[in-house]
Amino acid sequence: MNVCVVGLGKVGLPLAAAFAQQGERVTGCDINAALVDDLNGEGCPFPNEEGLAGALAEGRKAGRFLATTDTKAAVAAAEVVVIIVPLLIDEEHRPIYRALDAATEAVGDGLRPGTLVIYETSLPVGTTRGRFRPELERRSGLSAGKDFDLVYSPERVYSGRVLVDLKRYPKVVGGMTPAAGERAAAFYRQALGAEVRAVRDAETAEFSKLAETTYRDLNIAFANELALTADALGVDVTEVIAAANSQPFSHIHQPGVGVGGHCIPVYPHFLMAGEGSHRLAGAGRVINDGMAEYAIARLEGAMGPLAGRTIIVLGLAYRPDVKEAAYSSTLGLVRALESRRADVRVHDPLFSAEEIAALGLTPQGEFPAPCDAVVVQALHRQYRDMGIGAFQGCGVVLDGRNALPREEVERLGVRYLGIGR
Ligand SMILES: NC(=O)c1ccc[n+]([C@@H]2O[C@H](COP(=O)([O-])OP(=O)(O)OC[C@H]3O[C@@H](n4cnc5c(N)ncnc54)[C@H](O)[C@@H]3O)[C@@H](O)[C@H]2O)c1
């Protein structure tokens, strides 16, 4: 099949490579001309994505992968079009549709009768049918359900292991019509070799993705609330959670200084923007967003006033081992430290000093380095490899992920603070 993937980012590019690996002829579309040139050469922009460089090289060699900036022409030549351009939120938590609307316009301009169009970006419930369908129909002069098929199928992968996850997790598929859903299910069985979970319609599929991610946000919020209680009681929450989870019905996540990335902290807002009751989803967001301030208040309680103290935040990334800073808890930690006039620096081996400074943060050149305190936000492999001795010159370690062995830190003569420990 001729498959067109619109949006060659951290998820779209591995998805395109996976289709090519299964034998489809894939044209990847992106507005980033430098990325497209790089991909048509020998480039692979995500070296930490397992298996991606090899899959792309294989696809190029077999003539099954090509990149372009001309989405309209690529869509006109495709039997299946998959759209995976991001949807982020603004300061008021409202979706910013600019990129997806532009992609939809380009797809609508190239759309021909008989094409299957699938949105994979996480969306507020009803967006495929209510927002994108009319625009596709207007630009193409075609009718969805009659002249072309329209489907929603959420992306459920984890950066760093996208190619494995694409085969491992069932592909949820919901069509605007039952026939569209069946066609998309057959497409994913062939083009991914994945198990397919067909649901009643596009709205059910959209909702399932928001349910899955909001569940994780709430689970973490519960762990965070347990941590606050454990601090008040003088109990170690990590022991509490491990003991509770020894009962098979209990699956409590771990507490921390916040939830980052462009999925978990964002999608509950998509849910809350729609119909229904969202008291719990809202409460979870408030709890998780409050953790950075809570942690820094505890640090202040332990150290006294933080004004003028040198404090290094380890990890700009929202989680270990990915170069991804979207909605990272580091931003909340830095805000809380700056409001106390601390001298805050951010260190991350995955980002250059320029990339850290571009976010308005002060980069820390080297780590280990002497300082009054260290806040562990993302314990990258580079930090794990350094060993505990790296914390020797720090007065206090605030272990924002409860990831360090407390006794070993304390043996260095360094004060240890965890979240609920
Ligand atoms: N990254 C993850 O871990 C993850 C996990 C699960 C689901 N997702 C879903 O995948 C979506 C995409 O995420 P990502 O991490 O791949 O994003 P990304 O930011 O890495 O990449 C997005 C790409 O889209 C391109 N783009 C923007 N506007 C475009 C347009 N009009 N036409 C063509 N290309 C355009 C950008 O140039 C960029 O290359 C997310 O919104 C989310 O719904 C992501």
Side-chain angles (χ1 to χ4, degrees):
M1 270 182 285
N2 286 321
V3 180
C4 171
V5 176
V6 183
L8 299 176
K10 288 176 290 300
V11 178
L13 185 59
L15 184 67
F19 292 151
Q21 258 183 335
Q22 283 286 116
E24 314 302 348
R25 280 184 305 276
V26 182
T27 306
C29 307
D30 205 288
I31 51 170
N32 181 342
L35 171 70
V36 165
D37 284 347
D38 196 32
L39 287 171
N40 285 334
E42 292 189 349
C44 174
F46 311 118
N48 294 328
E49 189 57 54
E50 207 185 317
L52 179 61
L56 283 174
E58 204 185 295
R60 284 184 201 112
K61 197 163 156 231
R64 289 201 298 264
F65 176 80
L66 188 75
T68 179
T69 52
D70 191 347
T71 302
K72 179 181 168 186
V75 169
E79 289 140 87
V80 181
V81 177
V82 175
I83 301 160
I84 179 86
V85 167
L87 179 63
L88 302 177
I89 50 174
D90 64 17
E91 303 257 300
E92 270 83 49
H93 306 131
R94 289 173 309 214
I96 308 166
Y97 282 107
R98 215 173 307 117
L100 262 174
D101 283 345
T104 299
E105 286 167 19
V107 170
D109 288 344
L111 199 59
R112 287 178 323 153
T115 308
L116 168 62
V117 179
I118 308 173
Y119 283 85
E120 288 210 9
T121 303
S122 304
L123 299 172
V125 180
T127 307
T128 305
R129 195 188 301 264
R131 186 181 186 99
F132 298 139
R133 172 194 175 169
E135 191 57 18
L136 290 171
E137 291 183 332
R138 200 174 68 78
R139 308 283 296 205
S140 67
L142 301 173
S143 172
K146 194 162 131 271
D147 303 320
F148 70 96
D149 285 317
L150 184 59
V151 167
Y152 180 74
S153 176
E155 201 43 82
R156 316 174 80 189
V157 295
Y158 195 71
S159 294
R161 48 160 219 238
V162 175
L163 290 171
V164 174
D165 285 354
L166 282 170
K167 291 196 187 305
R168 178 164 50 181
Y169 301 139
K171 197 81 179 88
V172 173
V173 171
M176 221 200 66
T177 59
E182 279 163 31
R183 186 174 168 201
F187 164 68
Y188 282 119
R189 279 192 201 102
Q190 175 182 316
L192 283 180
E195 184 193 328
V196 170
R197 189 170 185 100
V199 295
R200 180 186 293 265
D201 51 25
E203 290 71 24
T204 307
E206 288 167 339
F207 194 1
S208 76
K209 173 69 185 183
L210 304 188
E212 172 187 317
T213 39
T214 304
Y215 164 74
R216 288 179 64 198
D217 198 41
L218 284 171
N219 192 324
I220 297 166
F222 179 57
N224 282 333
E225 204 156 66
L226 293 180
L228 267 53
T229 305
D231 278 336
L233 295 173
V235 172
D236 185 339
V237 79
T238 57
E239 255 190 284
V240 171
I241 291 175
N245 283 353
S246 67
Q247 211 283 354
F249 291 145
S250 181
H251 310 278
I252 306 168
H253 287 3
Q254 295 301 320
V257 285
V259 177
H262 54 55
C263 296
I264 302 181
V266 172
Y267 303 156
H269 291 294
F270 290 178
L271 194 60
M272 288 187 269
E275 303 293 318
S277 159
H278 307 299
R279 282 170 300 169
L280 205 50
R285 284 284 70 240
V286 170
I287 291 170
N288 290 340
D289 280 349
M291 289 307 290
E293 171 60 33
Y294 171 78
I296 298 308
R298 285 201 76 219
L299 187 66
E300 191 176 34
M303 292 176 67
L306 300 179
R309 315 289 283 275
T310 305
I311 299 179
I312 303 174
V313 178
L314 292 187
L316 165 60
Y318 78 91
R319 69 168 162 87
D321 306 324
V322 291
K323 188 179 174 181
E324 169 69 67
Y327 307 102
S328 170
S329 303
T330 298
L331 307 173
L333 290 165
V334 168
R335 253 194 318 272
L337 287 163
E338 282 179 349
S339 73
R340 292 164 171 86
R341 287 177 291 114
D343 174 10
V344 196
R345 289 107 190 264
V346 175
H347 182 269
D348 193 312
L350 303 182
F351 291 82
S352 68
E354 292 73 31
E355 286 169 330
I356 294 174
L359 294 173
L361 307 167
T362 306
Q364 164 68 25
E366 304 252 302
F367 186 81
C371 56
D372 295 306
V374 151
V375 180
V376 176
Q377 141 64 21
L379 197 67
H380 292 306
R381 182 179 48 75
Q382 286 85 341
Y383 299 132
R384 302 195 293 275
D385 289 350
M386 283 176 191
I388 290 299
F391 296 98
Q392 183 85 60
C394 315
V396 180
V397 169
L398 171 61
D399 181 3
R401 300 292 164 194
N402 291 346
L404 299 172
R406 174 182 199 133
E407 291 74 23
E408 286 182 44
V409 174
E410 287 174 341
R411 233 175 279 137
L412 297 172
V414 172
R415 173 126 192 229
Y416 176 94
L417 286 176
I419 305 295
R421 298 181 85 181

mmCIF file of all heavy atoms in Angstrom, residues 227-247:
data_model
loop_
_atom_site.group_PDB
_atom_site.id
_atom_site.type_symbol
_atom_site.label_atom_id
_atom_site.label_comp_id
_atom_site.label_asym_id
_atom_site.label_seq_id
_atom_site.Cartn_x
_atom_site.Cartn_y
_atom_site.Cartn_z
ATOM 1 N N ALA A 227 2.137 10.292 49.988
ATOM 2 C CA ALA A 227 3.457 10.783 50.401
ATOM 3 C C ALA A 227 3.321 11.942 51.392
ATOM 4 O O ALA A 227 4.056 12.021 52.388
ATOM 5 C CB ALA A 227 4.257 11.226 49.175
ATOM 6 N N LEU A 228 2.372 12.833 51.133
ATOM 7 C CA LEU A 228 2.143 13.961 52.046
ATOM 8 C C LEU A 228 1.740 13.426 53.427
ATOM 9 O O LEU A 228 2.211 13.915 54.463
ATOM 10 C CB LEU A 228 1.034 14.868 51.501
ATOM 11 C CG LEU A 228 1.445 16.069 50.637
ATOM 12 C CD1 LEU A 228 2.350 15.695 49.480
ATOM 13 C CD2 LEU A 228 0.230 16.809 50.116
ATOM 14 N N THR A 229 0.870 12.426 53.420
ATOM 15 C CA THR A 229 0.425 11.827 54.686
ATOM 16 C C THR A 229 1.605 11.148 55.385
ATOM 17 O O THR A 229 1.776 11.265 56.611
ATOM 18 C CB THR A 229 -0.700 10.813 54.411
ATOM 19 O OG1 THR A 229 -1.727 11.486 53.692
ATOM 20 C CG2 THR A 229 -1.273 10.241 55.697
ATOM 21 N N ALA A 230 2.426 10.438 54.595
ATOM 22 C CA ALA A 230 3.575 9.734 55.176
ATOM 23 C C ALA A 230 4.549 10.726 55.813
ATOM 24 O O ALA A 230 5.091 10.468 56.903
ATOM 25 C CB ALA A 230 4.287 8.920 54.096
ATOM 26 N N ASP A 231 4.756 11.875 55.154
ATOM 27 C CA ASP A 231 5.630 12.900 55.739
ATOM 28 C C ASP A 231 5.061 13.379 57.080
ATOM 29 O O ASP A 231 5.799 13.570 58.049
ATOM 30 C CB ASP A 231 5.777 14.095 54.786
ATOM 31 C CG ASP A 231 6.821 13.838 53.704
ATOM 32 O OD1 ASP A 231 7.727 13.007 53.927
ATOM 33 O OD2 ASP A 231 6.724 14.466 52.633
ATOM 34 N N ALA A 232 3.735 13.567 57.113
ATOM 35 C CA ALA A 232 3.108 14.046 58.353
ATOM 36 C C ALA A 232 3.217 13.004 59.460
ATOM 37 O O ALA A 232 3.346 13.346 60.635
ATOM 38 C CB ALA A 232 1.637 14.391 58.082
ATOM 39 N N LEU A 233 3.169 11.717 59.067
ATOM 40 C CA LEU A 233 3.197 10.644 60.064
ATOM 41 C C LEU A 233 4.618 10.185 60.401
ATOM 42 O O LEU A 233 4.818 9.399 61.329
ATOM 43 C CB LEU A 233 2.417 9.427 59.540
ATOM 44 C CG LEU A 233 0.912 9.595 59.315
ATOM 45 C CD1 LEU A 233 0.339 8.361 58.634
ATOM 46 C CD2 LEU A 233 0.207 9.836 60.652
ATOM 47 N N GLY A 234 5.600 10.600 59.594
ATOM 48 C CA GLY A 234 6.966 10.110 59.809
ATOM 49 C C GLY A 234 7.131 8.658 59.378
ATOM 50 O O GLY A 234 7.878 7.881 59.980
ATOM 51 N N VAL A 235 6.415 8.280 58.313
ATOM 52 C CA VAL A 235 6.470 6.911 57.779
ATOM 53 C C VAL A 235 7.106 6.989 56.389
ATOM 54 O O VAL A 235 6.993 8.009 55.711
ATOM 55 C CB VAL A 235 5.030 6.353 57.689
ATOM 56 C CG1 VAL A 235 4.980 5.026 56.966
ATOM 57 C CG2 VAL A 235 4.423 6.225 59.083
ATOM 58 N N ASP A 236 7.784 5.897 55.952
ATOM 59 C CA ASP A 236 8.381 5.892 54.609
ATOM 60 C C ASP A 236 7.347 5.378 53.598
ATOM 61 O O ASP A 236 6.975 4.210 53.624
ATOM 62 C CB ASP A 236 9.624 4.992 54.609
ATOM 63 C CG ASP A 236 10.369 5.028 53.277
ATOM 64 O OD1 ASP A 236 9.754 5.396 52.242
ATOM 65 O OD2 ASP A 236 11.568 4.693 53.269
ATOM 66 N N VAL A 237 6.903 6.260 52.687
ATOM 67 C CA VAL A 237 5.836 5.897 51.743
ATOM 68 C C VAL A 237 6.275 4.807 50.779
ATOM 69 O O VAL A 237 5.437 4.039 50.285
ATOM 70 C CB VAL A 237 5.326 7.154 50.988
ATOM 71 C CG1 VAL A 237 6.279 7.545 49.860
ATOM 72 C CG2 VAL A 237 3.925 6.937 50.428
ATOM 73 N N THR A 238 7.560 4.715 50.484
ATOM 74 C CA THR A 238 8.000 3.683 49.525
ATOM 75 C C THR A 238 7.758 2.285 50.110
ATOM 76 O O THR A 238 7.383 1.366 49.395
ATOM 77 C CB THR A 238 9.485 3.838 49.134
ATOM 78 O OG1 THR A 238 10.264 3.793 50.331
ATOM 79 C CG2 THR A 238 9.764 5.126 48.415
ATOM 80 N N GLU A 239 7.941 2.179 51.443
ATOM 81 C CA GLU A 239 7.653 0.890 52.094
ATOM 82 C C GLU A 239 6.158 0.618 52.127
ATOM 83 O O GLU A 239 5.715 -0.516 51.950
ATOM 84 C CB GLU A 239 8.162 0.950 53.544
ATOM 85 C CG GLU A 239 9.434 0.176 53.769
ATOM 86 C CD GLU A 239 9.744 0.081 55.264
ATOM 87 O OE1 GLU A 239 10.207 1.105 55.793
ATOM 88 O OE2 GLU A 239 9.500 -0.986 55.850
ATOM 89 N N VAL A 240 5.390 1.699 52.372
ATOM 90 C CA VAL A 240 3.926 1.568 52.420
ATOM 91 C C VAL A 240 3.412 1.066 51.064
ATOM 92 O O VAL A 240 2.624 0.117 50.985
ATOM 93 C CB VAL A 240 3.270 2.931 52.755
ATOM 94 C CG1 VAL A 240 1.753 2.871 52.606
ATOM 95 C CG2 VAL A 240 3.658 3.385 54.155
ATOM 96 N N ILE A 241 3.877 1.710 49.986
ATOM 97 C CA ILE A 241 3.370 1.353 48.645
ATOM 98 C C ILE A 241 3.808 -0.055 48.261
ATOM 99 O O ILE A 241 3.017 -0.842 47.725
ATOM 100 C CB ILE A 241 3.817 2.409 47.602
ATOM 101 C CG1 ILE A 241 3.080 3.731 47.880
ATOM 102 C CG2 ILE A 241 3.541 1.938 46.175
ATOM 103 C CD1 ILE A 241 3.510 4.905 47.019
ATOM 104 N N ALA A 242 5.066 -0.400 48.567
ATOM 105 C CA ALA A 242 5.539 -1.756 48.235
ATOM 106 C C ALA A 242 4.705 -2.791 48.972
ATOM 107 O O ALA A 242 4.302 -3.816 48.393
ATOM 108 C CB ALA A 242 7.024 -1.896 48.584
ATOM 109 N N ALA A 243 4.405 -2.515 50.247
ATOM 110 C CA ALA A 243 3.610 -3.474 51.024
ATOM 111 C C ALA A 243 2.180 -3.545 50.471
ATOM 112 O O ALA A 243 1.627 -4.628 50.280
ATOM 113 C CB ALA A 243 3.597 -3.064 52.500
ATOM 114 N N ALA A 244 1.580 -2.378 50.180
ATOM 115 C CA ALA A 244 0.209 -2.358 49.658
ATOM 116 C C ALA A 244 0.129 -3.098 48.314
ATOM 117 O O ALA A 244 -0.802 -3.869 48.066
ATOM 118 C CB ALA A 244 -0.266 -0.917 49.485
ATOM 119 N N ASN A 245 1.135 -2.888 47.453
ATOM 120 C CA ASN A 245 1.103 -3.496 46.118
ATOM 121 C C ASN A 245 1.387 -4.997 46.139
ATOM 122 O O ASN A 245 1.300 -5.656 45.100
ATOM 123 C CB ASN A 245 2.103 -2.794 45.181
ATOM 124 C CG ASN A 245 1.574 -1.444 44.703
ATOM 125 O OD1 ASN A 245 0.428 -1.092 44.965
ATOM 126 N ND2 ASN A 245 2.403 -0.697 44.010
ATOM 127 N N SER A 246 1.703 -5.552 47.322
ATOM 128 C CA SER A 246 1.871 -7.008 47.385
ATOM 129 C C SER A 246 0.506 -7.697 47.337
ATOM 130 O O SER A 246 0.419 -8.909 47.205
ATOM 131 C CB SER A 246 2.676 -7.421 48.626
ATOM 132 O OG SER A 246 1.933 -7.140 49.802
ATOM 133 N N GLN A 247 -0.571 -6.909 47.447
ATOM 134 C CA GLN A 247 -1.932 -7.416 47.232
ATOM 135 C C GLN A 247 -2.220 -7.189 45.741
ATOM 136 O O GLN A 247 -2.065 -6.066 45.246
ATOM 137 C CB GLN A 247 -2.915 -6.619 48.101
ATOM 138 C CG GLN A 247 -4.119 -7.385 48.572
ATOM 139 C CD GLN A 247 -5.169 -7.559 47.481
ATOM 140 O OE1 GLN A 247 -5.045 -7.020 46.396
ATOM 141 N NE2 GLN A 247 -6.190 -8.326 47.803
#
